[in-house]
Amino acid sequence: MLGDFTYSKQSISSTGVRWKCSRQVSRKCNAYVVVDGHGRILKMNDKHMHEPFRFIRTSKKRLLAMLNGFTYFRHYALKSGVRWQCTKHYSQNCNSYLIVDTGGTILRLNENHTHAPSNYLCNKDVKFITTLGGRKLALFNGYTYFKHVKLATGVRWTCSSHSSKKCRGALILDEGGSVIRSNPLHTHEPSHYHCLRDGVYYKL
């Protein structure tokens, strides 16, 4: 694995070993890396034709595999690796799957999904700030949100331009500040804030 992308051994020469992207066939990806006997990169093409394969952990601590926006749960172990089944297998009769070896290389996959990709957000990008006026906001992807209402599942944070620009952008965060759900469709451009030395933010 290199930079969240996986490679499989392609050929060996006097200068080193050439590894091709593990999705060369399925995605017609021409990315590769040539490594010498000490593991040093001699030559590479890191322009992939697809998104990286990675593992994520949800706010409920569930481990999933993610590829091209679709998520998979660990189904069962095989001699060659582990089969990961699409998380919509039961709810939307989706039979897409991945077979991944112990090194994280995709050995086989079926990407014929019956649904659109999942919408997952990385909660590490959520930041809580205090403005010059003392207002506490949540900052996410350049947009700010105010604490609106408490729900059974968490707290709804509504875009701070909800009234002035009739924006319906919103986040639902759990008690730990992790994103559970969001509406990222704003009616305006992101806000620009500058952080002062004392940790207070002001809008530019």
Side-chain angles (χ1 to χ4, degrees):
M1 179 174 284
L2 180 64
D4 287 330
F5 292 96
T6 57
Y7 299 78
S8 57
K9 187 180 292 186
Q10 184 178 27
S11 60
I12 301 176
S13 66
S14 57
T15 56
V17 180
R18 180 185 174 103
W19 296 76
K20 65 179 180 180
C21 176
S22 57
R23 307 198 66 199
Q24 185 182 63
V25 176
S26 63
R27 286 285 175 171
K28 298 180 180 180
C29 184
N30 294 321
Y32 69 89
V33 59
V34 178
V35 183
D36 66 13
H38 300 286
R40 293 174 297 200
I41 297 175
L42 302 177
K43 188 177 180 182
M44 69 181 299
N45 171 16
D46 59 355
K47 295 180 179 179
H48 292 266
M49 306 290 290
H50 57 92
E51 293 183 9
F53 165 70
R54 58 169 59 96
F55 293 101
I56 66 170
R57 195 171 291 278
T58 68
S59 58
K60 296 182 179 180
K61 310 302 181 183
R62 189 185 185 192
L63 181 66
L64 300 176
M66 176 176 276
L67 181 66
N68 294 323
F70 294 97
T71 53
Y72 305 78
F73 67 90
R74 184 185 173 104
H75 199 183
Y76 54 82
L78 302 168
K79 289 183 178 180
S80 56
V82 176
R83 178 186 170 104
W84 294 76
Q85 187 72 47
C86 177
T87 52
K88 300 292 184 181
H89 175 64
Y90 298 107
S91 62
Q92 298 193 30
N93 296 318
C94 185
N95 292 319
S96 297
Y97 67 89
L98 302 172
I99 295 179
V100 183
D101 69 11
T102 55
T105 299
I106 299 173
L107 303 177
R108 190 183 306 166
L109 73 160
N110 172 2
E111 289 188 287
N112 296 320
H113 292 271
T114 61
H115 55 92
S118 303
N119 184 23
Y120 275 86
L121 299 171
C122 183
N123 68 296
K124 70 180 181 180
D125 294 328
V126 179
K127 181 182 293 185
F128 296 97
I129 67 172
T130 301
T131 67
L132 277 173
R135 193 182 188 192
K136 296 185 183 299
L137 300 174
L139 178 63
F140 182 71
N141 287 341
Y143 294 97
T144 53
Y145 304 79
F146 66 90
K147 192 174 184 178
H148 193 175
V149 63
K150 190 172 182 179
L151 306 172
T153 55
V155 178
R156 177 186 173 92
W157 292 71
T158 299
C159 179
S160 53
S161 295
H162 173 71
S163 299
S164 61
K165 298 180 180 178
K166 298 181 180 180
C167 183
R168 295 186 177 182
L171 298 174
I172 295 180
L173 307 180
D174 65 14
E175 293 181 355
S178 296
V179 178
I180 299 174
R181 192 164 63 250
S182 77
N183 174 14
L185 301 178
H186 293 264
T187 60
H188 56 94
E189 294 298 314
S191 303
H192 295 285
Y193 280 82
H194 178 71
C195 182
L196 301 176
R197 289 184 179 180
D198 57 1
V200 175
Y201 286 71
Y202 71 90
K203 194 173 183 178
L204 298 177

